[in-house]
Amino acid sequence: MPTNLPPDARKKWAEVEATKNPKEKLVCMEEFLSLVPKHKGTLKLRGQIKKQMAVMRREIEEKKRKKAGRRGPKLFIEKEGAAQIALLGMTGVGKSSLLASVTNAKTEISSNPYTTKEPVPGIMTYEDIQFQMIETPALMEGSADGRAWGLKTLATARNADGLMIMVDLSQDPVKQFSLILNELEKARILVSKPRGRVEVERKFMGAGLRIILVGKLVDCDMRDVEELLKSYRLNDAVVKISGESTLEEIEDAIFESTTYKPAVVFANKTDVEGQELNLEHLKAHVRERLPIVAASCEKKLGLENLGQTLFNTLDIVRVYTKEPSHREHSKRPFILKKGATIYDLAKDIHSDFRERFSFAKVWSKRLTFSPQKVGFTFVLVDGDIVEIHLK
Ligand SMILES: Nc1nc2c(ncn2[C@@H]2O[C@H](COP(=O)(O)OP(=O)(O)OP(=O)(O)O)[C@@H](O)[C@H]2O)c(=O)[nH]1
Ligand SMILES: [Mg+2]
């Protein structure tokens, strides 16, 4: 990635960023591309932009089809429940079998390859919450380059809150796992955080620029980084730099919309002969990177811990609210990210609550006494009961 794009290209990129309408954005990207000098140093960048444009074109086409009233497939399945999980895997690994085992969905199971051709959602209940699981059409080598329905499956993965990567223990699971990871990576979807990493989170206008450096800058200092970001009109963003990063890698992060998804590996078909050795290979390969659930969807064995594993991996907490005048708390919990505070809960309940907030009372097993009177910054944990008092 070049660090010396001409100023007019940088300015155009800022325009691309600011444009929301997909069609106008596409035009803008085209213009940006024409301003990028064509040499070896810009090859990767041009490739990335072209790929993004291809995906956008498809999305526009899809929308058009829907508008025309023909029964075109929906681009995204609307989210339901505590989290949306995309179920990924090669053909025949047992994705439909899992969906049929743990959710209410009706989906065709078959030994014929490529049976599922559209994403199929189902609801899985775990304790007092529900996960929405989406079976996706099979991934294969070349999916990220647009082969078959690859882009649709990867778009579903990108839109989901978490991933379940399914492999078949009757065949080489490491090979399958690596193939899936490779296609995800090509689509800029990561399942584990790399050591050196730059994350750019764009903020609303006026928020200012904040650079958080946890690691080390290799060939530049903070002033260079700030200058680079500002030259792309990135004036309102949080930029986190961890591990060792070069200025080029930081520029990379501005363009690449890499996303990180929590993931679980599902090793299916534990009932087949020879599965133990394959499972050992898989465990040795995956190591501590991701949790592995080994089960047989057909024999319905080993599925009992799936909900708990998903819940732990997603890093979410359940919080119950209570009205000051009521004795009982709500049956249905609010789902928040781990580390969320009373503030996050309040703004989730009602945009108004933020201004009118006075204090909160929290009931929790971990507290020495309950209820405890707390303020906005109090960090909530799973199972907390909260009563919000307004001014
Ligand atoms: N032995 C065994 N076979 C299984 C298991 N789970 C699924 N199968 C079989 O594997 C074949 C494929 O299952 P599906 O659930 O249709 O696989 P899929 O991943 O949805 O496949 P596509 O939709 O084609 O991508 C079927 O013949 C299933 O009966 C299992 O736990 N053990
Ligand atoms: Mg299927």
Side-chain angles (χ1 to χ4, degrees), residues 311 316-320 333-334 336-342 345 362-367 378-386:
F311 184 81
I316 49 179
V317 294
R318 288 166 292 187
V319 175
Y320 304 82
F334 272 89
L336 298 167
K337 275 259 146 212
K338 220 180 220 168
T341 59
I342 294 277
L345 174 69
V362 175
W363 284 258
S364 179
K365 282 192 202 108
R366 78 201 143 111
L367 299 173
F378 185 83
V379 176
L380 295 159
V381 303
D382 191 47
D384 280 0
I385 301 165
V386 181

Side-chain angles (χ1 to χ4, degrees), residues 231-273:
S231 74
Y232 283 109
R233 311 279 152 105
L234 262 172
N235 297 312
D236 303 294
V238 179
V239 180
K240 276 187 222 157
I241 304 165
S242 41
E244 294 198 352
S245 299
T246 62
L247 200 58
E248 204 173 296
E249 281 165 345
I250 296 166
E251 188 169 33
D252 235 27
I254 300 172
F255 290 100
E256 281 184 284
S257 43
T258 300
T259 150
Y260 161 80
K261 299 284 174 192
V264 170
V265 181
F266 191 109
N268 191 30
K269 311 198 186 180
T270 49
D271 57 287
V272 297
E273 218 174 303

